[in-house]
Amino acid sequence: MFDYVISYDVAALILIMLFVLFYFTRRRYVTIQTKMYSILIVFSAVSVSLDLLAVMCLTNRYFLPVWINYLVNILYFVISGLLAVIFCAYSMNATNSLNRLLHSMTLLVVFMLPYIVYVIALITTPFTHLVFYFDENRDYVQGPFIYGMLVLVVSYLLFSTVLITFHRGTVSFRRRVPYYFFTAIEFIAIILQAVTKVYLLDGFACSIGIVTLYLLENNANDFVDLESQLFNRSGFRFKLEDYSKNDSEVSVIGFGFTDNLITASQADSAYGDYIVNKIGSFLTGRFDAKNVFYLGNYMFAVIVDDEEDRERVVDDIRQRFLEQWKLSDGAIRLNIGICLLNYPVDYRNVISFLEALENGIRASIGRKGELVLADDIKRDQEKRIRKLEEAQEELREKYDEAEVRMQKALEADRSKSLFLAQMSHEIRTPMTAILGMTELLLRDTNNPQVREHAQAIMSSGKTLIGIINDI
């Protein structure tokens, strides 16, 4: 029987309980990933608690029935193994692989098979003594399959690491780090605990890993806009991707106003932040906070799950914006633009949907609250595309015309050069003969008058040759 050192488990329990209190008392961004993270936190707290309870039961084994010790220890092992399975599923969801697993019975059975073997071994251990047992002195004794149990747990952790690494194209390095850290610290804790046998390190490592996951992967501040206290643009994208994974359809009502509607006397950015905060307070007070988002640039979005609520949401937003927004030095009335899109019916791609929503809001500003629908946005996009195509065609025609003119100019330049070269050759040939004959005449005659005429011919010929060379 071992004298267990429980200080690490006590520290882990304090840490995880404080974190549970912190996490579940603040606003949380609700997606499949955050729901699974919440389950990880709960099971981690239960695992650490059961570990301490198991040690207490072993310490007081002489005063408790043997079946209680079996029950508590089996529960601890079941929850610890399930924690590894949940973490693996959590990693699969981060890589968009979980949906495929849940829709394939074969893959699901293969995925759960190690844990099923793990649980069967635990349930039968009071009779088979495979994992652990209590001898005639009620001392705790490890069974022959105890290390096999550890291997099954580690296999899920290693599979998570391989999966995250394989999908490094879709999971950024910053998001992969906490998964690597969780796996590494759990693996080290399991090895040390198996070697030392007395130090309860697994719960402590799990608690540290859970907090690290929150700080680097699930930090709610990454999804909350500090000005409006609404979920932000990143949160909106994650929410839509969540609906895609579930094959769900939702309506999204987008609305906003432009900053030029704030007068010059209110042009300070603090006024914009104040108005955004006021609108955020209105939206969270009127609608479900987890479905309200601030997209930036004075644009907001409300996700409506129930089709019957769409008109009510639109009317509530219109009615409120007909009223003035009170400021510290007066009031302001904002002229909003509002549009309605259905995801993923109108646009299947999240980026395209978000772009269309923002374009719809901009297009509807100035229409006095007239609702812009997906067809209006698509017609507007088609109109802009046609204008761009027309401008491109006109530019292409002008380019073709300029190219034709350039070719004609080049052809004219080549013709002129050819003409000058030919004329130069035709004139230079007889001029060379004239100058040669004149030079012979000057060499052979001594008549002064003839020489004077010959000199004039020679001078004029050389001048003409110089002009031809210059041309």
Side-chain angles (χ1 to χ4, degrees):
M1 184 64 193
F2 307 112
D3 293 326
Y4 291 103
V5 178
I6 64 171
S7 54
Y8 290 101
D9 252 3
V10 172
L13 184 62
I14 294 172
L15 174 63
I16 198 68
M17 287 304 178
L18 289 175
F19 184 68
V20 165
L21 183 65
F22 162 79
Y23 183 78
F24 286 99
T25 54
R26 65 177 298 166
R27 278 183 64 199
R28 300 188 310 280
Y29 184 72
V30 181
T31 63
I32 295 175
Q33 193 76 347
T34 54
K35 287 178 181 177
M36 295 184 69
Y37 180 73
S38 300
I39 295 172
L40 267 177
I41 296 173
V42 172
F43 275 88
S44 177
V46 172
S47 175
V48 174
S49 302
L50 284 173
D51 198 10
L52 283 172
L53 182 60
V55 172
M56 292 175 62
C57 289
L58 290 175
T59 305
N60 298 280
R61 61 190 178 280
Y62 299 113
F63 308 102
L64 296 172
V66 175
W67 67 268
I68 291 181
N69 271 302
Y70 271 116
L71 178 63
V72 172
N73 279 274
I74 288 173
L75 282 175
Y76 165 68
F77 279 111
V78 168
I79 296 299
S80 296
L82 186 58
L83 197 61
V85 176
I86 295 171
F87 176 73
C88 189
Y90 179 79
S91 305
M92 294 182 73
N93 189 66
T95 60
N96 298 323
S97 306
L98 184 61
N99 200 42
R100 180 185 173 192
L101 174 69
L102 297 177
H103 285 82
S104 172
M105 183 57 68
T106 304
L107 291 177
L108 186 60
V109 169
V110 171
F111 176 75
M112 292 300 298
L113 188 59
Y115 183 69
I116 293 171
V117 173
Y118 179 91
V119 172
I120 292 173
L122 284 169
I123 292 174
T124 59
T125 201
F127 315 104
T128 61
H129 298 174
L130 279 174
V131 183
F132 65 90
Y133 63 93
F134 295 92
D135 61 16
E136 61 275 3
N137 296 321
R138 294 192 176 184
D139 288 335
Y140 176 84
V141 181
Q142 292 180 344
F145 194 60
I146 185 69
Y147 294 106
M149 305 289 281
L150 296 179
V151 170
L152 290 176
V153 171
V154 169
S155 66
Y156 281 103
L157 298 176
L158 293 178
F159 179 73
S160 301
T161 303
V162 172
L163 191 68
I164 288 292
T165 305
F166 182 76
H167 287 84
R168 59 184 177 273
T170 55
V171 182
S172 65
F173 178 75
R174 176 183 175 275
R175 292 185 62 201
R176 294 200 304 272
V177 168
Y179 293 91
Y180 293 150
F181 180 79
F182 187 96
T183 302
I185 196 171
E186 274 288 314
F187 184 75
I188 293 171
I190 290 172
I191 296 298
L192 290 176
Q193 187 165 317
V195 172
T196 62
K197 299 184 185 301
V198 296
Y199 289 98
L200 305 180
L201 300 171
D202 184 48
F204 182 74
C206 184
S207 301
I208 297 296
I210 289 290
V211 174
T212 304
L213 273 175
Y214 174 79
L215 294 176
L216 296 180
E217 232 292 295
N218 265 288
N219 192 341
N221 292 331
D222 290 343
F223 302 109
V224 176
D225 175 72
L226 299 180
E227 295 175 9
S228 62
Q229 291 303 305
L230 303 175
F231 293 122
N232 59 19
R233 187 187 189 90
S234 298
F236 183 67
R237 289 180 56 183
F238 272 96
K239 189 75 170 181
L240 293 181
E241 289 171 358
D242 218 29
Y243 282 111
S244 294
K245 293 175 183 177
N246 292 331
D247 296 325
S248 302
E249 296 179 5
V250 291
S251 298
V252 178
I253 298 166
F255 68 94
F257 60 94
T258 58
D259 52 1
N260 59 14
L261 295 174
I262 301 176
T263 62
S265 61
Q266 300 162 341
D268 189 274
S269 62
Y271 277 98
D273 296 347
Y274 181 75
I275 292 171
V276 166
N277 184 266
K278 293 279 285 185
I279 296 174
S281 299
F282 157 72
L283 292 173
T284 52
R286 187 64 61 90
F287 310 115
D288 190 349
K290 71 176 183 293
N291 288 333
V292 180
F293 304 85
Y294 178 55
L295 307 179
N297 298 321
Y298 305 112
M299 296 185 187
F300 301 82
V302 180
I303 292 179
V304 182
D305 297 318
D306 190 352
E307 188 174 345
E308 296 178 357
D309 289 339
R310 290 190 307 189
E311 293 185 8
R312 180 184 61 82
V313 173
V314 172
D315 289 339
D316 285 349
I317 294 172
R318 279 177 178 160
Q319 188 64 34
R320 179 61 186 90
F321 275 84
L322 288 175
E323 303 171 8
Q324 291 185 332
W325 297 88
K326 293 182 179 180
L327 303 176
S328 57
D329 59 348
I332 186 173
R333 178 174 281 109
L334 300 174
N335 186 16
I336 68 163
I338 185 167
C339 72
L340 171 65
L341 294 178
N342 295 305
Y343 182 82
V345 177
D346 296 327
Y347 296 87
R348 298 198 63 83
N349 182 272
V350 173
I351 303 299
S352 300
F353 182 86
L354 186 55
E355 182 181 350
L357 185 69
E358 292 178 336
N359 289 336
I361 294 171
R362 293 189 189 97
S364 62
I365 290 175
R367 296 190 182 185
K368 299 181 180 180
E370 178 186 349
L371 185 64
V372 174
L373 302 177
D375 292 338
D376 301 323
I377 298 172
K378 289 179 179 178
R379 278 196 297 268
D380 185 62
Q381 288 179 331
E382 290 171 358
K383 185 177 179 181
R384 290 202 306 270
I385 291 172
R386 281 197 300 270
K387 285 184 178 180
L388 288 173
E389 288 175 346
E390 290 172 0
Q392 188 177 14
E393 185 63 29
E394 184 180 352
L395 185 63
R396 188 182 294 110
E397 290 176 358
K398 289 182 178 180
Y399 175 80
D400 292 340
E401 292 176 1
E403 190 173 16
V404 170
R405 288 196 296 269
M406 183 182 69
Q407 291 296 332
K408 288 181 178 179
L410 290 174
E411 186 64 31
D413 184 66
R414 282 195 294 270
S415 299
K416 181 184 73 174
S417 298
L418 180 62
F419 170 77
L420 290 174
Q422 290 176 342
M423 290 301 297
S424 173
H425 175 73
E426 295 296 332
I427 295 173
R428 187 182 285 110
T429 300
M431 281 304 303
T432 302
I434 292 171
L435 291 175
M437 295 301 295
T438 303
E439 187 175 351
L440 290 173
L441 182 62
L442 287 170
R443 187 186 302 168
D444 294 339
T445 184
N446 292 321
N447 188 320
Q449 189 174 4
V450 173
R451 290 185 65 84
E452 182 180 353
H453 293 320
Q455 287 286 357
I457 293 170
M458 179 66 75
S459 176
S460 298
K462 288 182 177 181
T463 301
L464 185 57
I465 286 292
I467 293 171
I468 292 171
N469 290 335
D470 291 339
I471 294 172

